[in-house]
Amino acid sequence: MTSQTRTRRSQRHRTNGLAPQRAAAFTPDAVAVGARSLEVGGEWVASFAVTGFPREVHPGWLAPLLTYPGRLDVSVHVEPIDPATAAGRLKKQLAKLESSRRHGAEHGRLLDPQVEAATEDAYDLSARIARGEGKLYRVGLYLTIHTATEHALADEVAALRSLCASLLLDAKHTTYRSLQGWVSTLPMGLDLIGMKRTFDTTALSAAFPFTSPDLPAPDPASVAAPSGVLYGFNVGSQALVHWDRFDERMHNHNAVILGRSGAGKSYLVKLELLRSLYRGIEVAVVDPENEYARLAAAVGGTYVHLGAPGVQLNPFDLPIHTRPDGRRTAPKDALLRRTLFLHTVLAVLLGDEPDATQRTALDRGIAATYQRAGITADARTWTRPAPTLRMLRDHLADAGKTGDSAAGELAARLHPFVDGAFKLLFDGPTTTHPDGHLIVFSLRDLPDELKPIGTLLTLDTVWRRVSHPAIRRPRLVVVDEAWLLMHDRAGAEFLFRMAKASRKHWAGLTVATQDTADVLGSDLGKAVVANAATQVLLRQAPQAIEEVVRTFDLSAGERQFLLSADRGQGLLSAGTQRVAFQSLASPTEHALVTSSPEFLASLEDYETDSGWVDVR
């Protein structure tokens, strides 16, 4: 019969001090110690010490332990051996092996293959140590398996030992030292078992388990913390996935995120946004569904509610920049560029591209409208108040009365946006000039007919801020549900131009959409995707997967992964590097970025716990 010892957490830890409260989150209520297992809190654990290793291994040969489907803790303890001690031990080992070989030869015995192999390895290792090509280390490898019940523990132990046997590892139970074995696998750096083997540098580096195809680190030789944003953990190796879109080696800072509805697309976008703010990156968001309001309020961002009474954006505003000395300037071709942009605005507003006659009338009307406001080719006049859409409509209506039918038709089509039901966004000069580290433009309350033009005007406002020559800092521009703008050719062309030019201004464009087929079905959509150095693919619909496979040149395994991925799982692609990852958020971050109806309904009762949340 196995005797068990039960210890309970001391009552003195239940004080009001902050340190004991933090410790209580990681300390089990009780530990029951058995000969080969432990009952820790409400789960059962068993620990193993690896005593036998294969003679030859390949890099990353321990990776199968990290991809084990159950909960398995792997602990590698490394202790360097000084060269003098290493040389002495090698001499003694070589002497023992040579003595064994000669003893067998003197008695006419056959050569022992294991002794011969060990002798060759010892000579080779001794030569490499003498040449300074490597060092010796004492390495201890310990494993701890976790299950919910004692019955399931026996099955998991058998499965783990079978896996170790397939890797030519000899895993032994830490019999009567189960508590010490469990502690040795905790992230405390304590080796209470002390069952170590001697490894050289090559063997130790090959045993390093985190060598799955992760994204490369910016500087593999650096000991500093990874730069960039934490996306989550690698599905294959459980290693953390960091990625820096603003790395100087990247061709551009743009990203595209494609996924079906409910795949965790907006969740991932908001998580990256929040962690980019930690790094001091300025962010502007086009929010079509009012999903970023809580996040903006939590971090002190600026919230622009388009569609609310009294909130207008005037498309005639010239890109005027205020210099540090207080002077107001504009690019040399500001008026020409604004005229071209107004052609795009009216094409999106009217729903189709004007014909040649209407384009001519419109061009004359835009020039005349600026002249009536006192703005001419002279740059000194560009700081005057800009005209409005109403003034353009009135000029076109006057031209129509004098016989210009194209101008009269345009004036009639602009009536709903000046005096009709859709005038709320254009009825006057611009009323808001947002500023801050996070700016959110909400489009939810705009009518569906105005959401494409609202997105376009918002992007124009953001772009004028991004291209400000006096302010140089990294920026992100997030366009959520970009299909609203991609459906219109003029809007898609503006988004494409923004993607092409953003790198010059130290900015990155993030395009997120759930209509993958519509984006990839157009040349402009493919061009936007092609100009994104960072590409994230979440779960895809079967109807769109073939187009995704052709566009991104996916393998059969990657195709199947995208069809069966859980919520929050995706494929991060950056050039030739790809990694399958699972989004990872802290409870505080989860409370700010989730849009789950169940969570929002119980928001008042939500209490933040410690730990992390897998986005599934």
Side-chain angles (χ1 to χ4, degrees):
M1 179 179 298
T2 302
S3 62
Q4 296 186 347
T5 305
R6 183 175 296 270
T7 61
R8 295 191 178 275
R9 190 168 52 199
S10 174
Q11 293 297 326
R12 65 176 177 270
H13 288 294
R14 303 181 183 272
T15 61
N16 295 327
L18 182 60
Q21 289 179 358
R22 291 179 176 177
F26 302 96
T27 307
D29 294 328
V31 177
V33 182
R36 290 192 169 186
S37 63
L38 294 175
E39 184 182 2
V40 182
E43 64 181 12
W44 290 79
V45 302
S47 300
F48 297 85
V50 177
T51 59
F53 297 85
R55 179 170 181 254
E56 295 183 358
V57 295
H58 56 82
W61 63 283
L62 284 182
L65 292 177
L66 291 185
T67 60
Y68 183 76
R71 181 185 172 188
L72 176 65
D73 296 336
V74 181
S75 177
V76 181
H77 296 262
V78 181
E79 177 186 346
I81 303 176
D82 65 275
T85 304
R89 290 182 179 179
L90 280 174
K91 288 180 181 179
K92 291 181 180 179
Q93 185 68 15
L94 282 171
K96 292 180 181 179
L97 293 172
E98 283 293 345
S99 176
S100 178
R101 292 175 63 186
R102 292 180 180 180
H103 183 270
E106 290 175 356
H107 290 77
R109 298 173 182 171
L110 295 176
L111 297 178
D112 188 345
Q114 293 185 355
V115 175
E116 292 295 319
T119 303
E120 293 178 5
D121 292 342
Y123 274 113
D124 179 65
L125 179 58
S126 178
R128 284 190 281 114
I129 295 297
R131 292 193 299 266
E133 297 178 357
K135 296 182 179 180
L136 291 185
Y137 302 87
R138 297 283 291 169
V139 178
L141 178 59
Y142 309 112
L143 312 173
T144 296
I145 190 73
H146 299 250
T147 60
T149 64
E150 186 177 10
H151 177 73
L153 183 63
D155 296 335
E156 290 293 335
V157 166
L160 177 60
R161 299 195 70 172
S162 297
L163 175 61
C164 291
S166 68
L167 298 175
L168 301 182
L169 295 175
D170 190 7
K172 300 294 186 181
H173 270 290
T174 54
T175 307
Y176 294 111
R177 289 194 293 174
S178 54
L179 179 61
Q180 290 85 342
W182 173 60
V183 172
S184 297
T185 57
L186 294 176
M188 300 171 61
L190 298 177
D191 182 4
L192 304 183
I193 299 298
M195 301 182 68
K196 296 181 178 180
R197 292 288 297 271
T198 302
F199 278 49
D200 68 333
T201 304
T202 304
L204 180 60
S205 61
F208 193 68
F210 306 102
T211 54
S212 63
D214 287 329
L215 296 173
D219 184 5
S222 175
V223 297
S227 62
V229 170
L230 172 65
Y231 278 72
F233 63 87
N234 190 317
V235 174
S237 70
Q238 309 300 306
L240 298 180
V241 177
H242 289 83
W243 186 243
D244 187 2
R245 289 169 53 180
F246 289 91
D247 188 274
E248 59 182 7
R249 297 175 298 175
M250 298 296 293
H251 297 297
N252 58 67
H253 313 311
N254 302 331
V256 60
I257 301 177
L258 305 178
R260 65 183 297 178
S261 178
K265 176 180 71 286
S266 296
Y267 192 106
L268 179 62
V269 171
K270 286 181 279 188
L271 196 60
E272 182 190 24
L273 181 157
L274 185 59
R275 291 170 179 173
S276 296
L277 291 174
Y278 300 158
R279 303 178 60 204
I281 298 174
E282 185 179 300
V283 183
V285 183
V286 181
D287 179 14
E289 297 295 339
N290 201 28
E291 294 185 15
Y292 295 77
R294 288 185 296 114
L295 177 60
V299 301
T302 302
Y303 186 77
V304 181
H305 194 176
L306 298 181
V311 179
Q312 287 93 29
L313 290 179
N314 184 13
F316 284 82
D317 287 339
L318 291 173
I320 305 298
H321 302 308
T322 303
R323 295 170 48 177
D325 58 3
R327 295 180 57 190
R328 304 180 69 191
T329 62
K332 295 181 179 180
D333 56 350
L335 185 59
L336 175 60
R337 289 184 175 273
R338 184 52 37 172
T339 300
L340 295 175
F341 173 71
L342 284 170
H343 281 276
T344 302
V345 168
L346 292 176
V348 174
L349 198 63
L350 301 177
D352 56 12
E353 196 75 29
D355 57 31
T357 305
Q358 291 178 337
R359 192 179 298 111
T360 301
L362 183 59
D363 195 66
R364 289 197 298 261
I366 293 173
T369 302
Y370 272 115
Q371 289 177 358
R372 286 186 178 183
I375 298 175
T376 64
D378 187 352
R380 291 174 297 180
T381 65
W382 294 353
T383 57
R384 295 174 178 174
T388 61
L389 188 64
R390 179 182 297 274
M391 297 174 63
L392 174 63
R393 193 282 310 268
D394 293 343
H395 175 80
L396 292 175
D398 293 340
K401 295 177 181 179
T402 61
D404 190 344
S405 59
E409 182 180 353
L410 286 173
R413 298 180 65 183
L414 288 175
H415 174 78
F417 307 102
V418 175
D419 293 316
F422 302 134
K423 70 175 184 178
L424 70 166
L425 192 61
F426 313 99
D427 192 20
T430 299
T431 58
T432 179
H433 298 279
D435 192 10
H437 57 283
L438 173 62
I439 305 173
V440 178
F441 295 86
S442 174
L443 308 180
R444 186 184 67 174
D445 292 337
L446 283 178
D448 292 340
E449 293 81 359
L450 290 183
K451 284 187 177 180
I453 187 62
T455 304
L456 181 62
L457 293 179
T458 298
L459 286 176
D460 175 67
T461 302
V462 171
W463 183 249
R464 287 194 306 233
R465 180 174 177 82
V466 166
S467 59
H468 197 306
I471 303 176
R472 300 292 295 171
R473 66 169 64 99
R475 291 184 174 96
L476 280 181
V477 180
V478 178
V479 184
D480 205 349
E481 302 299 347
W483 60 271
L484 293 171
L485 194 61
M486 297 294 291
H487 278 176
D488 189 272
R489 180 175 180 82
E493 288 178 347
F494 182 87
L495 200 63
F496 171 66
R497 292 194 298 270
M498 191 173 183
K500 293 281 287 185
S502 58
R503 178 179 173 82
K504 301 176 182 178
H505 301 280
W506 205 6
L509 175 66
T510 299
V511 176
T513 182
Q514 65 185 20
D515 282 1
T516 305
D518 290 346
V519 172
L520 299 182
S522 65
D523 294 337
L524 284 173
K526 291 182 178 179
V528 171
V529 172
N531 279 274
T534 302
Q535 301 166 345
V536 179
L537 301 176
L538 302 178
R539 181 166 182 168
Q540 302 294 320
Q543 296 81 1
I545 190 63
E546 298 304 330
E547 183 66 27
V548 174
V549 169
R550 286 193 298 270
T551 303
F552 295 93
D553 194 21
L554 302 181
S555 65
E558 291 168 338
R559 176 186 184 276
Q560 186 60 34
F561 172 75
L562 293 181
L563 285 175
S564 59
D566 291 336
R567 180 177 298 175
Q569 289 185 348
L571 192 65
L572 174 59
S573 174
T576 60
Q577 303 291 334
R578 290 178 181 172
V579 58
F581 71 96
Q582 169 72 53
S583 299
L584 189 67
S586 69
T588 301
E589 291 173 323
H590 176 76
L592 294 178
V593 303
T594 184
S595 58
S596 169
E598 294 84 1
F599 175 81
L600 296 179
S602 60
L603 191 59
E604 296 181 356
D605 300 328
Y606 179 76
E607 294 182 0
T608 301
D609 299 324
S610 61
W612 293 82
V613 177
D614 289 353
V615 189
R616 299 186 186 274

